[in-house]
């Protein structure tokens, strides 16, 4: 099991030019875990818990369920993210994810940048880990 915390941002280059930035605490592995999303003051904005066959998002008193973490992330952010690959990238492993390219050159400094080149729209995920 792994545990990481820090800040993350996601920028989606579509007509709406969506972007999202927050603090995070990630615990677990691709099959089972929890992600807590924090505002700049450190207050919990949302949590996602997942296990095989189930993912639950709790945000602002609202609860949303899905049969997979990938589907829930897509519904929530409007963008598919390579969640399983992200765990490998955070461990410094050059895991392949279809359409994504991860720059692990600064992972020893706690920095990760991954870009989705295909399918459109392009997206950039940046992670800065706490030390």
């Amino acid at each position: 099991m792994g545990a990481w915390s820090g800040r993350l941002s996601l920028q989606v280059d579509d007509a709406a030019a969506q972007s999202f930035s927050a603090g995070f605490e990630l615990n677990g592995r691709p099959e089972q875990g929890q992600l807590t999303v924090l505002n700049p003051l450190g207050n919990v904005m949302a949590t996602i818990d997942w296990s095989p066959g189930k993912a639950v998002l709790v945000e602002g008193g609202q609860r949303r369920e899905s049969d997979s973490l990938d589907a829930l992330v897509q519904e929530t952010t409007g963008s598919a993210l390579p969640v399983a690959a992200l765990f490998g990238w955070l461990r410094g492993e050059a895991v392949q994810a279809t359409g994504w390219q991860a720059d692990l050159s600064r992972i020893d400094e706690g920095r990760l940048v991954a870009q989705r080149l295909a399918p459109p729209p392009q997206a950039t995920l940046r992670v800065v880990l706490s030390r």
Side-chain angles (χ1 to χ4, degrees):
M1 281 241 257
W4 299 271
S5 64
R7 298 214 35 90
L8 61 83
S9 69
L10 175 66
Q11 181 176 352
V12 180
D13 297 329
D14 60 6
Q18 302 174 59
S19 70
F20 171 82
S21 179
F24 77 94
E25 295 173 354
L26 175 63
N27 296 289
R29 56 189 191 278
E31 303 80 25
Q32 183 173 349
Q34 180 180 61
L35 172 66
T36 302
V37 180
L38 308 164
N39 69 16
L41 298 176
N43 298 320
V44 175
M45 293 170 40
T47 59
I48 301 175
D49 290 282
W50 66 93
S51 57
K54 184 176 184 180
V56 178
L57 167 69
V58 176
E59 179 180 27
Q62 302 290 326
R63 180 182 171 98
R64 185 186 307 181
E65 292 189 30
S66 182
D67 60 357
S68 80
L69 177 59
D70 288 328
L72 185 62
V73 168
Q74 169 102 29
E75 292 169 19
T76 304
T77 66
S79 182
L81 296 175
V83 177
L86 179 60
F87 279 87
W89 296 339
L90 290 170
R91 289 189 301 266
E93 301 167 3
V95 176
Q96 298 299 311
T98 303
W100 284 81
Q101 194 171 55
D103 178 357
L104 303 178
S105 64
R106 297 184 63 200
I107 197 68
D108 289 344
E109 300 168 26
R111 295 182 178 275
L112 163 70
V113 177
Q115 292 185 303
R116 181 179 64 214
L117 305 175
Q122 291 187 351
T124 303
L125 174 67
R126 288 181 168 79
V127 178
V128 177
L129 299 174
S130 299
R131 291 288 177 180

